[in-house]
Amino acid sequence: MRRSVKYLNGVPRSLRRALHETPVARNLSFLVEDIVRGYCAEASSHRESPQVVTERDYKYKEGQFYHGFQCERVEYIPDFELTSHTLRHKESGLELWYIDRNDTNNVFSINFRTPPEDSTGAAHVLEHLALNGSAKYSVRDPFFKMLNRSVATNMNALTAPDQTVYIFSSRNETDFRNIQRIYLDSVFRPNLLYLDFLQEGWRLEHSHVHDRQSEIIIKGIVYNEMIGIFSENSRLFRKGLMSNLLPELAYKYTAGGDPLEIPNLTHSKLVQYHQKYYHPSNGRIFCYGSFDLMETLEVLNEEYLCDYDSIDTSYSYIPLHSRWSFPRNVHLPCRLVNMGVSKEKQSQIGCALLMCDRTAVQEVFELNVLTELLIRGPNSAFYKGLVDPNFSGGFNRHTGYYFTSRDTYFAVGLQDIRIADFDRFHELFQQTIHKTIIEGFDPKHVESVLHNLELNVRHRRADDGNNILFNSMALWNHGGDVFANLRISEMMGRLRARLRDNKNYLQQKVEQYFLANSHKLTLTMSPDESYSENFRKAEKKLIQQKINELSPEKLSKIYQNGLELEAAQKAKENTNVLPCLSLDDVEEPMGHPQLTEQRIESVPTQLCKVPTNDITYLNCLFNITALSHDDAMLVPLFCSVFKNMGTRKHDFREFDKMILSKTANFDFKLKVVEDVKDGKSYKIGLLMTTYALDKNVKDMFALCEELLLDFELDDTDRLKMLIENYISKLSVGIAVSGHTYAMLCSAALVSDAGKLKSHLLGIDHIDFMKRYTQQNSTEEIRDRLKAIGAKVFSKSNMRVAINTSEAFQPTALEHYRTFLKKLPNLKNMNKRSQLKLFKPSFHHYAVNFPVNYCAKSFFAVPYLHEDHPVLRVLAKLISAKYLLPVVREQNGAYGTGARIGYDGLFHFYSYRDPHSTRTLDVFDKTYEWLAAMSDKLDYQMLFEAKLGVLQLLDWPTAPGEVGMDYFILRVSHEEYCKYRSRVLSVTADEVRSVVDKYFKKEPRHVGKCILGPKSERLAFKLQNA
Ligand SMILES: [Zn+2]
């Protein structure tokens, strides 16, 4: 639903510079929820007193006009050190929210309220089509073409259940103006061509375009995208919950489009939809950062808004839902997950309750805090009530407080549960509510939640501007007060005052919203083995019906249309109409971080002085390469469970409260890091990450010490539950990140390090864990985990990075020394393993998704080899000029690309792909394409590819992440600068030479993988290969 250039989700930002991108569409409501949790603040000492407004000298004055816009409101918001403005364009009625802040990562977004009128996905297809050519920029897919003509830090478009958003951010002002013009032209003057509608939306076409006899099927990017999205059960569940909880409003429809409804959308309906909803009066523009506002206002006023008169937009207004007098139940079938737990245990159940109006800002804030208390961590009421009894795989993905719709709602659910246990869920749900109302909340627990919210507001991110918008986007869309939503200290102050004045304040909220609330939906979902078959049958029937509706002339035109579309896709276009940066715009690399290294208590320690807003960041990396293979295989499980088991001094509930009231929690991750210089060896590391307010750093280290030295695994009932929940979580989300899994699989066929990664992080890990836990008792697993823990946390194999402010560094180091003195010196495990490369091979993972994820990987050269920057530029070139036009535009995959990792593996991948072996053939024919275009390689093509690389190299870094490339990969700032200037100086001859060197002959170490549905044809092909 979302076109995403948000690179590398799940990989620390800093590493994005060295690694490569993974364009996975991130799921909107999770994103919004995650961000919102990070949004509360400024705990202590706030009294509910009248706000004293000091006279400020604002740049823009209320009541004044600027290029047709009247400034309606200006306020300074101390929590974020920003000035917030509302302006309105008088003639067209467009509202503009401008945030003036000393942040170079500027954000611009155009939002329209687009409540769906049915499930044909009009808003979604329009989102695709708008970015597919406009009056001034009349080329196919300028959105994708701009990716390589810009250094944007984010370019995105997304269709939410009630609005459509076009957003980007950039730190380069020329770039910012370029994309701004394209976005404005796209939404206000899109071409909306019929052929583009067929390509992006849906069409009937022969499965083989050139074969008139081949079967007629439905094709189209959005059509395939939605099939891909709903192949993930968690997405079906979420959709089912929202549409059945709000059945009288637009939310009952699927804004992205229901695959069986999309073919009811016509081109003319789409054009009408645009006229109706993309009027400035129905739009909102967000502008954030340090760039001059006047230029934006001038462009808007003179080039776009002057064409419009303000209109009444009450047609797009979404009212509150009427309240039910009785709870309701709904049951849905879903796909059986063949990688998941046994079929009997694959059901889900969830309960949703309608809460308050999204525009009630303080109430939403308080319900957010209440939700944290009810569902987050082992001290929360629903965790104790529903998860602890251990009859499921833990909370499902749709558990939390949701405020993207007009009426907000709370949902809690369990995954991997038996149908026989549905009643038990109901009983326990009710019991939990009653118990909470009677017993109330532990003040220490409340304090830990409030502290964590405060810490999260202090924590600076590199994309603060995007976060501010996402946090307020739904509120703004429904006409709420977005300024109030930023005043977090004030909301926190009011909540604290209420808690002080009324000891039962939170219980009363539980009573009001959970007990006395009959607008309650219980949704259950169970796998149906014929689910996929039923969909295929319904699709067949639909195709037949569509064919029957056609006149003989139109029917015979299907063949012709297919050829026409293909010709249009292959036609050469004049991309010169698109703006592009020049070398002068991007010459300067990022500044030098203030890093020093010293041995403290014999531990190599990297110190970074950086303004952190009173926070200290700690990263400890333990080299565990010397662990046996069997031990290493259990490290991911160890990382997941051991911090949640408590210590010898405190049980897990007590310890969790202590952690959350002093730190931002502890995170443990496994890292397999290849040598970036010679690519001949690798290490395995266990990385611990945490941060705390400076005033809590002493406690943070004391907690580290307790956790690492005194962890306790003896409570086998709890351990058993955590292990089962861990396995349940593994099989969720595979379809969403399918290309990442596919690349892990293909890399596993190239080297032993790749194989290890796949066994520790990929599909193979799921299989391994399922088998391992079936064959071993909890007691046996406990003993193995204990043994691992006893070997790894040692000074002898540890390296540390601390990021803190210059002023606080001496104090932080004092506490750090005390901590190190307590850590033991065990057997030194510092070592590296020699990398082994394998012979070429292929693997097909049969999964029951209706789409494929294809990957091919081969070993080239590691990061610091002189050819690496050239290959990286080449990968961008292959992605933009070869794979996108063929695999996406012509063959209908949602995403595709080529990349080279710091480890030296060169990958090709496709995402939500209707084809399998055909895509692998495209990958294999890369050299033929490269050879054919060799002479046509010009400066502009090369420069665009370089910009694509630069986007990642110059990615903004948050204070807590500065220096992490050096810490993890040992890539210094000097090496980064050298690499960067090498990227900028790559010549066409150099590209030709690496093409000959690495692509001409089939590589010696290559792996191919398809993750997709079972296929007899494929099995046959493999047998005969
Ligand atoms: Zn989409």
Side-chain angles (χ1 to χ4, degrees):
M1 222 174 284
R2 176 156 197 245
R3 300 175 170 217
S4 184
V5 199
K6 276 221 130 174
Y7 302 106
L8 276 176
N9 301 315
V11 175
R13 274 283 158 72
S14 58
L15 292 184
R16 288 171 180 162
R17 284 210 274 133
L19 302 172
H20 224 288
E21 76 275 35
T22 308
V24 179
R26 200 150 73 167
N27 171 320
L28 177 62
S29 71
F30 266 94
L31 175 70
V32 173
E33 249 53 63
D34 287 349
I35 291 157
V36 170
R37 263 180 222 125
Y39 247 68
C40 301
E42 213 53 25
S44 54
S45 80
H46 253 282
R47 266 169 241 136
E48 202 163 29
S49 56
Q51 191 197 343
V52 183
V53 183
T54 41
E55 205 57 46
R56 282 187 162 264
D57 191 18
Y58 292 122
K59 203 161 30 170
Y60 303 100
K61 308 255 181 325
E62 288 178 7
Q64 297 272 337
F65 276 87
Y66 306 90
H67 295 288
F69 284 84
Q70 186 173 31
C71 179
E72 294 181 335
R73 187 176 171 194
V74 188
E75 282 174 28
Y76 180 72
I77 314 274
D79 288 328
F80 296 98
E81 297 169 308
L82 59 82
T83 308
S84 185
H85 312 67
T86 321
L87 298 104
R88 189 174 299 278
H89 190 257
K90 276 293 152 189
E91 271 169 53
S92 68
L94 179 118
E95 184 181 336
L96 188 140
W97 179 17
Y98 167 55
I99 289 180
D100 182 8
R101 194 179 191 211
N102 185 19
D103 183 347
T104 52
N105 196 13
N106 283 253
V107 182
F108 185 79
S109 162
I110 314 170
N111 309 0
F112 295 100
R113 188 156 59 212
T114 50
E117 298 170 355
D118 49 43
S119 289
T120 59
H124 185 193
V125 178
L126 179 55
E127 174 229 298
H128 278 243
L129 232 61
L131 290 171
N132 217 9
S134 63
K136 264 193 208 152
Y137 308 103
S138 195
V139 286
R140 263 192 341 270
D141 221 347
F143 179 85
F144 271 93
K145 295 196 169 78
M146 276 310 286
L147 291 183
N148 286 349
R149 299 170 83 92
S150 140
V151 287
T153 49
N154 178 26
M155 261 174 86
N156 221 328
L158 55 105
T159 307
D162 53 15
Q163 62 179 324
T164 309
V165 176
Y166 299 84
I167 183 170
F168 75 88
S169 53
S170 180
R171 300 196 302 168
N172 180 305
E173 186 158 1
T174 311
D175 190 38
F176 183 84
R177 301 291 170 206
N178 286 348
I179 308 175
Q180 188 178 55
R181 280 168 190 274
I182 289 177
Y183 269 37
L184 287 170
D185 213 53
S186 296
V187 300
F188 290 120
R189 286 175 204 150
N191 289 340
L192 306 183
L193 299 177
Y194 179 65
L195 276 184
D196 292 338
F197 171 78
L198 298 181
Q199 174 185 295
E200 298 290 323
W202 75 277
R203 65 185 182 274
L204 289 174
E205 195 174 275
H206 289 280
S207 57
H208 296 280
V209 182
H210 297 273
D211 180 1
R212 211 188 263 274
Q213 302 310 319
S214 65
E215 190 189 1
I216 293 178
I217 57 169
I218 299 178
K219 295 183 186 173
I221 288 179
V222 168
Y223 182 76
N224 283 325
E225 183 190 346
M226 294 316 293
I227 290 178
I229 283 180
F230 288 128
S231 62
E232 184 68 64
N233 284 340
S234 59
R235 296 298 295 262
L236 274 181
F237 193 89
R238 176 179 318 165
K239 177 63 220 147
L241 207 61
M242 189 186 236
S243 56
N244 288 294
L245 187 69
L246 299 159
E248 291 164 25
L249 301 174
Y251 303 111
K252 72 178 160 196
Y253 300 120
T254 307
D258 177 336
L260 296 177
E261 294 284 332
I262 291 171
N264 292 326
L265 181 67
T266 61
H267 179 244
S268 65
K269 271 200 226 159
L270 185 98
V271 174
Q272 283 163 19
Y273 193 88
H274 174 260
Q275 281 165 356
K276 183 170 172 187
Y277 292 101
Y278 282 34
H279 188 285
S281 298
N282 194 45
R284 289 179 169 78
I285 285 183
F286 175 76
C287 207
Y288 164 98
S290 53
F291 299 153
D292 180 29
L293 176 70
M294 281 303 119
E295 220 177 307
T296 299
L297 298 184
E298 193 178 346
V299 172
L300 271 167
N301 182 49
E302 285 170 20
E303 296 187 29
Y304 294 98
L305 302 181
C306 52
D307 297 347
Y308 296 89
D309 288 324
S310 173
I311 57 163
D312 174 9
T313 57
S314 49
Y315 59 83
S316 69
Y317 173 81
I318 299 170
L320 290 170
H321 200 284
S322 63
R323 263 41 184 178
W324 298 342
S325 41
F326 295 100
R328 296 182 187 183
N329 299 308
V330 172
H331 181 80
L332 295 175
C334 66
R335 195 179 298 280
L336 178 72
V337 179
N338 62 348
M339 265 172 298
V341 295
S342 65
K343 188 194 165 204
E344 300 68 52
K345 235 201 139 184
Q346 263 192 40
S347 292
Q348 293 200 44
I349 184 168
C351 193
L353 290 139
L354 210 60
M355 301 268 142
C356 69
D357 183 349
R358 177 63 189 96
T359 63
V361 176
Q362 178 76 26
E363 191 71 359
V364 169
F365 174 81
E366 292 181 8
L367 285 172
N368 201 30
V369 173
L370 182 65
T371 301
E372 290 290 304
L373 285 163
L374 290 172
I375 62 161
R376 196 74 44 213
N379 288 294
S380 64
F382 280 116
Y383 188 96
K384 288 183 193 167
L386 296 173
V387 178
D388 271 350
N390 195 20
F391 60 101
S392 70
F395 286 137
N396 70 3
R397 281 210 171 183
H398 206 69
T399 293
Y401 181 47
Y402 294 84
F403 37 89
T404 50
S405 45
R406 174 69 200 270
D407 288 279
T408 64
Y409 65 92
F410 170 92
V412 61
L414 296 177
Q415 62 190 3
D416 289 352
I417 172 174
R418 290 186 175 82
I419 294 177
D421 283 326
F422 284 173
D423 286 342
R424 192 165 172 205
F425 172 88
H426 280 290
E427 279 162 34
L428 292 173
F429 181 91
Q430 283 313 114
Q431 274 176 25
T432 305
I433 302 295
H434 286 289
K435 195 161 180 271
T436 308
I437 293 171
I438 295 166
E439 293 177 4
F441 296 90
D442 171 6
K444 276 205 299 202
H445 182 209
V446 176
E447 204 43 57
S448 73
V449 167
L450 295 180
H451 161 267
N452 226 260
L453 296 174
E454 178 196 6
L455 180 58
N456 256 318
V457 161
R458 291 249 167 201
H459 174 59
R460 289 283 172 260
R461 294 161 180 86
D463 53 356
D464 267 354
N466 290 298
N467 290 345
I468 285 176
L469 174 65
F470 280 121
N471 184 55
S472 288
M473 206 160 74
L475 173 65
W476 196 26
N477 190 40
H478 298 298
D481 183 351
V482 290
F483 288 31
N485 202 38
L486 290 174
R487 295 193 176 278
I488 296 184
S489 311
E490 284 177 29
M491 292 194 278
M492 186 67 98
R494 275 193 286 273
L495 174 60
R496 283 188 178 276
R498 286 168 190 175
L499 293 175
R500 240 187 345 261
D501 295 347
N502 176 359
K503 295 279 169 270
N504 295 324
Y505 186 70
L506 292 170
Q507 282 119 292
Q508 285 165 2
K509 287 254 178 265
V510 176
E511 210 172 326
Q512 176 193 349
Y513 286 104
F514 290 83
L515 195 65
N517 183 356
S518 47
H519 199 117
K520 176 179 167 188
L521 172 78
T522 304
L523 183 72
T524 49
M525 200 165 89
S526 304
D528 174 351
E529 259 151 329
S530 50
Y531 186 86
S532 305
E533 191 47 41
N534 290 347
F535 175 78
R536 267 192 297 273
K537 277 186 197 153
E539 192 190 35
K540 270 218 159 83
K541 200 174 142 198
L542 178 72
I543 294 170
Q544 201 48 55
Q545 182 201 327
K546 289 278 156 199
I547 291 174
N548 294 345
E549 283 168 10
L550 295 177
S551 60
E553 304 87 70
K554 283 207 168 149
L555 190 62
S556 68
K557 268 206 88 182
I558 287 180
Y559 176 71
Q560 208 52 43
N561 285 347
L563 295 181
E564 254 174 57
L565 182 60
E566 192 189 53
Q569 284 164 339
K570 286 183 173 165
K572 181 130 181 66
E573 308 179 279
N574 178 17
T575 47
N576 292 336
V577 296
L578 293 174
C580 186
L581 292 178
S582 71
L583 195 57
D584 292 346
D585 295 317
V586 293
E587 211 113 51
E588 282 300 300
M590 286 200 288
H592 203 301
Q594 284 197 50
L595 288 188
T596 53
E597 276 188 298
Q598 44 181 285
R599 278 187 178 266
I600 299 180
E601 297 289 320
S602 79
V603 173
T605 306
Q606 172 181 308
L607 299 170
C608 177
K609 286 180 194 160
V610 58
T612 52
N613 209 17
D614 303 328
I615 290 179
T616 296
Y617 296 86
L618 173 69
N619 286 279
C620 300
L621 184 63
F622 299 93
N623 185 337
I624 56 167
T625 316
L627 278 185
S628 69
H629 180 264
D630 288 353
D631 276 349
M633 290 297 287
L634 290 179
V635 172
L637 175 70
F638 178 80
C639 288
S640 166
V641 301
F642 99 101
K643 63 167 184 171
N644 296 313
M645 291 290 296
T647 68
R648 279 189 272 276
K649 294 175 188 157
H650 299 96
D651 71 24
F652 64 90
R653 292 196 217 279
E654 204 50 40
F655 195 61
D656 191 70
K657 271 183 259 178
M658 291 165 65
I659 288 177
L660 288 188
S661 55
K662 297 295 179 187
T663 73
N665 215 339
F666 285 85
D667 184 46
F668 289 85
K669 268 199 194 81
L670 185 92
K671 298 254 166 214
V672 179
V673 184
E674 287 87 344
D675 187 294
V676 292
K677 286 196 175 70
D678 64 8
K680 288 188 176 142
S681 63
Y682 63 94
K683 293 184 201 168
I684 312 174
L686 195 162
L687 179 69
M688 176 182 86
T689 309
T690 185
Y691 58 88
L693 290 173
D694 288 346
K695 65 177 182 188
N696 293 328
V697 165
K698 187 178 174 195
D699 297 306
M700 175 178 87
F701 279 114
L703 288 165
C704 284
E705 181 195 321
E706 186 173 339
L707 179 59
L708 301 187
L709 302 183
D710 290 321
F711 67 88
E712 170 77 72
L713 297 171
D714 285 338
D715 181 348
T716 41
D717 286 343
R718 177 158 175 83
L719 184 62
K720 185 168 186 288
M721 182 195 88
L722 291 175
I723 293 171
E724 286 171 8
N725 289 2
Y726 173 73
I727 291 175
S728 282
K729 274 200 196 98
L730 288 178
S731 58
V732 181
I734 295 172
V736 176
S737 317
H739 64 311
T740 309
Y741 283 102
M743 279 186 279
L744 275 167
C745 295
S746 56
L749 305 173
V750 179
S751 74
D752 60 344
K755 190 170 168 184
L756 185 66
K757 276 189 209 172
S758 182
H759 277 120
L760 294 170
L761 308 160
I763 301 269
D764 295 322
H765 182 62
I766 305 174
D767 283 343
F768 168 78
M769 282 313 304
K770 271 170 46 184
R771 243 180 307 116
Y772 183 80
T773 49
Q774 275 159 16
Q775 290 163 0
N776 293 274
S777 70
T778 309
E779 286 72 19
E780 286 166 320
I781 301 175
R782 174 200 61 199
D783 294 344
R784 289 283 305 281
L785 296 181
K786 267 189 182 174
I788 293 170
K791 287 179 210 162
V792 297
F793 299 126
S794 160
K795 261 192 282 199
S796 54
N797 48 306
M798 178 189 188
R799 289 198 295 118
V800 174
I802 298 174
N803 287 17
T804 189
S805 63
E806 182 161 11
F808 191 72
Q809 200 186 69
T811 319
L813 287 183
E814 207 180 291
H815 299 313
Y816 170 57
R817 275 199 184 88
T818 314
F819 160 67
L820 287 183
K821 286 200 172 94
K822 304 277 177 51
L823 268 192
N825 242 323
L826 305 172
K827 186 177 156 228
N828 191 339
M829 300 219 290
N830 268 317
K831 103 170 225 213
R832 25 180 93 236
S833 288
Q834 289 308 304
L835 191 87
K836 288 185 208 70
L837 294 166
F838 304 145
K839 286 193 185 124
S841 59
F842 172 86
H843 195 86
H844 178 233
Y845 285 84
V847 287
N848 48 353
F849 306 142
V851 285
N852 294 287
Y853 303 85
C854 307
K856 172 179 174 180
S857 308
F858 71 88
F859 189 77
V861 286
Y863 191 65
L864 292 181
H865 188 281
E866 58 170 6
D867 286 346
H868 195 279
V870 192
L871 283 163
R872 200 157 168 191
V873 170
L874 179 64
K876 280 282 167 197
L877 195 75
I878 293 171
S879 299
K881 306 287 177 190
Y882 176 54
L883 297 176
L884 271 174
V886 178
V887 179
R888 180 181 155 95
E889 290 176 19
Q890 289 170 33
N891 295 352
Y894 183 65
T896 180
R899 49 182 267 199
I900 180 166
Y902 70 93
D903 56 6
L905 286 177
F906 195 102
H907 307 275
F908 299 84
Y909 65 87
S910 74
Y911 186 70
R912 288 189 198 141
D913 189 346
H915 302 287
S916 54
T917 46
R918 187 156 151 193
T919 301
L920 290 181
D921 289 344
V922 175
F923 295 163
D924 286 345
K925 285 182 182 144
T926 304
Y927 178 72
E928 288 169 30
W929 178 80
L930 287 169
M933 59 74 75
S934 177
D935 300 339
K936 297 172 206 132
L937 191 59
D938 60 19
Y939 174 85
Q940 183 59 26
M941 267 166 97
L942 208 52
F943 183 63
E944 287 179 20
K946 291 175 186 180
L947 281 182
V949 176
L950 222 55
Q951 281 173 2
L952 297 152
L953 288 176
D954 289 354
W955 201 279
T957 313
E961 295 169 342
V962 177
M964 283 302 119
D965 286 350
Y966 186 59
F967 183 63
I968 306 278
L969 301 175
R970 312 307 280 170
V971 175
S972 69
H973 186 71
E974 289 69 30
E975 282 165 328
Y976 148 76
C977 292
K978 212 174 124 196
Y979 188 99
R980 192 183 181 278
S981 67
R982 177 108 179 85
V983 165
L984 286 177
S985 67
V986 167
T987 64
D989 280 341
E990 283 174 317
V991 170
R992 285 183 202 111
S993 114
V994 299
V995 166
D996 280 347
K997 204 161 153 191
Y998 299 96
F999 289 84
K1000 195 168 186 173
K1001 276 195 253 155
E1002 181 68 4
R1004 284 198 300 162
H1005 309 289
V1006 58
K1008 294 178 200 173
C1009 163
I1010 294 170
L1011 200 65
K1014 262 202 202 104
S1015 154
E1016 279 160 34
R1017 203 169 49 85
L1018 192 61
F1020 177 79
K1021 257 196 167 178
L1022 282 176
Q1023 260 174 13
N1024 295 286

